[in-house]
Amino acid sequence: MNDDYMEEQWRRHTYDGFPRCVSYKQERYRIPVRNFDNLKWHVWQGFGTHNIYVDVYPERNILGQDALLCNKIYIDLDNDKADKTDKTGKYAYGDMRSIVRFFKEQYSYSPRVYYSGGRGYAVYLDFDETPLNHFKDTLTEFYTMLKDQLGLKTIDTTSVGDDRRISRLPYTMHQKSGRLCTPIDTNWTISQIMGYSDSFVEDLQEQDVIIGNCEGLGKSLKSLDDVVTDRIKERAEKAKETPPIQFHEDGDAVYLRYFDELTWAFNIASTYAEGRHRTLWCIIVPRMLYVLAEGKSFKELSEEKQESVANQAEARCMEWVLSTSLVDPDGTPRKSDENYRAYIRAIIRQHRKDNWHPWNIETFFLENPDLVKYWRM
């Protein structure tokens, strides 16, 4: 295999055009490249000495406001997600085979697959350009369904739905292992894959890489995007319909402080991407019960009043949960609505039983420094 062949594979990998960014410095700076010749120059600069990555999507596909003209899905399989001690990469290999089998059976389509050079695989699903209005949320739903349906253990959800996502460029070196990132025949065994990637560049046999079209996948994604859009609209309408919590002028100092802190929590909800359970337990639910009980002890309310306040509190606290980010910073999808609903009910039961008091906001910050950033005004 010669340099011309590798350059042609780089060209084919970036078939959807320019400008896009390349990254190969240790700091992973994103370097804009305007055409293939510009990309090629940078790749040769880092070839053999650096990990080299390119944008999954060109600039022209990024429509803004979370909208994307989607023409491919990149699935990163990282063996460390299943077992950091395993040196064979067998878990990522098994997941790769499951994904390939699924798309062959369901779509009569063969994904293009690359061995990373380490203990992982990159799977690409190519299809006709499809406009998605809520790319991040839609891809999160897609990843979650695929992961659950196939029982995937190694799928890397970091930066899922990131329109600036980068991926390793084929026929470049994995710096840690010294092996090349190469296209593979998905029927190869692990030892065959390793043997091929271990070869010197000049000894590598050329592998045909077909940029296919997974017919029907774009349509499925568009339908999923429509569901996400409707859900977002429904949530917005419900928020409008929900009357604001009545503020009682004669509330004591504790009531006033809790009311202000709840208002603060709801104002920052859209930025909240982690620690939701901790925040519900220590801050949201206790304060909500106190405010809805008009400054009275929830435990000491009449049974009828307790039931009314509990139902209102559950609805309000779920409103906060649904306003938070759908994805955590590490790319993990937000847990199911039912998970949070059950958790809120458990906290309310605890208050009924023990009259538990909420944490002071300063104590909460001291015990949860990772969440302080969300509360900065």
Side-chain angles (χ1 to χ4, degrees):
M1 186 178 68
N2 57 33
D3 293 353
D4 289 340
Y5 176 81
M6 286 197 302
E7 289 180 359
E8 179 56 29
Q9 296 310 306
W10 299 340
R11 185 192 299 276
R12 296 187 71 183
H13 191 70
T14 55
Y15 69 90
D16 41 4
F18 296 86
R20 66 199 318 142
C21 287
V22 62
S23 174
Y24 60 95
K25 302 291 186 181
Q26 188 172 359
E27 302 83 358
R28 283 205 184 187
Y29 294 135
R30 293 168 52 81
I31 304 170
V33 289
R34 296 293 170 184
N35 51 51
F36 179 71
D37 286 339
N38 195 195
L39 171 69
K40 187 171 65 176
W41 184 89
H42 281 288
V43 173
W44 284 120
Q45 289 294 304
F47 189 84
T49 57
H50 292 80
N51 295 312
I52 303 174
Y53 307 89
V54 293
D55 280 344
V56 174
Y57 303 102
E59 286 290 332
R60 70 177 184 84
N61 285 41
I62 301 171
L63 307 178
Q65 300 294 320
D66 197 33
L68 184 94
L69 193 60
C70 191
N71 63 329
K72 68 170 80 84
I73 291 176
Y74 162 56
I75 302 173
D76 185 10
L77 301 175
D78 181 359
N79 202 74
D80 283 355
K81 298 289 181 183
D83 186 353
K84 291 185 178 181
T85 63
D86 173 61
K87 304 300 181 184
T88 66
K90 62 183 180 182
Y91 297 101
Y93 176 80
D95 282 356
M96 178 271 291
R97 293 292 297 271
S98 294
I99 293 171
V100 170
R101 186 163 52 249
F102 174 81
F103 280 93
K104 282 184 176 180
E105 292 174 354
Q106 298 297 319
Y107 290 90
S108 300
Y109 167 78
S110 296
R112 55 187 172 106
V113 179
Y114 300 85
Y115 168 57
S116 70
R119 287 179 294 168
Y121 298 86
V123 180
Y124 291 87
L125 310 173
D126 300 285
F127 47 91
D128 290 335
E129 290 182 338
T130 304
L132 300 177
N133 294 316
H134 300 283
F135 175 64
K136 190 178 186 70
D137 290 353
T138 300
L139 263 288
T140 298
E141 295 275 353
F142 173 82
Y143 268 63
T144 302
M145 290 191 302
L146 194 66
K147 181 179 180 180
D148 292 345
Q149 186 169 348
L150 302 183
L152 304 177
K153 299 181 178 68
T154 64
I155 190 166
D156 185 359
T157 54
T158 305
S159 303
V160 61
D162 181 3
D163 56 17
R164 303 287 180 177
R165 186 76 191 268
I166 57 176
S167 64
R168 193 180 297 275
L169 188 67
Y171 291 111
T172 61
M173 185 176 291
H174 188 289
Q175 194 174 7
K176 190 174 181 180
S177 71
R179 296 190 181 100
L180 287 176
C181 169
T182 56
I184 62 166
D185 183 328
T186 56
N187 291 315
W188 285 352
T189 63
I190 294 178
S191 59
Q192 285 176 306
I193 293 170
M194 295 293 185
Y196 179 76
S197 182
D198 271 334
S199 303
F200 291 108
V201 172
E202 56 269 22
D203 296 332
L204 283 172
Q205 293 182 347
E206 297 178 1
Q207 286 294 319
D208 286 335
V209 177
I210 300 173
I211 310 293
N213 181 14
C214 186
E215 293 185 13
L217 181 56
K219 185 177 180 180
S220 298
L221 284 174
K222 184 60 181 171
S223 297
L224 188 57
D225 187 63
D226 290 341
V227 171
V228 169
T229 300
D230 290 342
R231 189 185 302 156
I232 291 172
K233 288 179 180 177
E234 183 180 353
R235 191 187 309 159
E237 288 303 314
K238 283 185 177 179
K240 291 178 185 177
E241 293 169 4
T242 305
I245 300 171
Q246 291 298 317
F247 176 74
H248 293 274
E249 298 284 351
D250 56 351
D252 60 15
V254 174
Y255 175 90
L256 297 175
R257 187 171 77 250
Y258 285 178
F259 189 94
D260 288 343
E261 288 168 355
L262 273 179
T263 302
W264 187 6
F266 274 77
N267 285 340
I268 63 172
S270 63
T271 67
Y272 231 81
E274 57 190 313
R276 299 175 191 83
H277 288 88
R278 286 175 283 159
T279 307
L280 285 166
W281 178 269
C282 300
I283 302 295
I284 306 293
V285 179
R287 282 162 173 75
M288 188 65 73
L289 290 172
Y290 191 88
V291 167
L292 291 174
E294 300 176 8
K296 297 181 179 67
S297 167
F298 177 67
K299 185 180 180 181
E300 295 172 5
L301 296 176
S302 67
E303 190 172 324
E304 183 180 355
K305 184 66 173 176
Q306 271 192 2
E307 193 64 28
S308 174
V309 169
N311 290 337
Q312 291 180 66
E314 180 184 328
R316 295 288 185 177
C317 293
M318 278 305 299
E319 182 185 335
W320 179 83
V321 170
L322 295 174
S323 297
T324 65
S325 174
L326 282 169
V327 184
D328 287 3
D330 65 356
T332 304
R334 188 180 71 199
K335 288 184 171 58
S336 69
D337 295 355
E338 189 52 42
N339 174 284
Y340 287 106
R341 194 178 298 280
Y343 189 69
I344 291 166
R345 288 171 180 165
I347 300 172
I348 293 173
R349 285 197 300 270
Q350 190 72 31
H351 278 262
R352 266 201 180 108
K353 179 182 176 183
D354 298 328
N355 198 29
W356 190 73
H357 295 287
W359 286 29
N360 181 285
I361 195 79
E362 288 78 15
T363 303
F364 178 74
F365 290 160
L366 286 172
E367 294 294 328
N368 300 277
D370 57 318
L371 302 181
V372 173
K373 59 181 178 288
Y374 297 113
W375 292 80
R376 292 196 180 105
M377 298 299 284

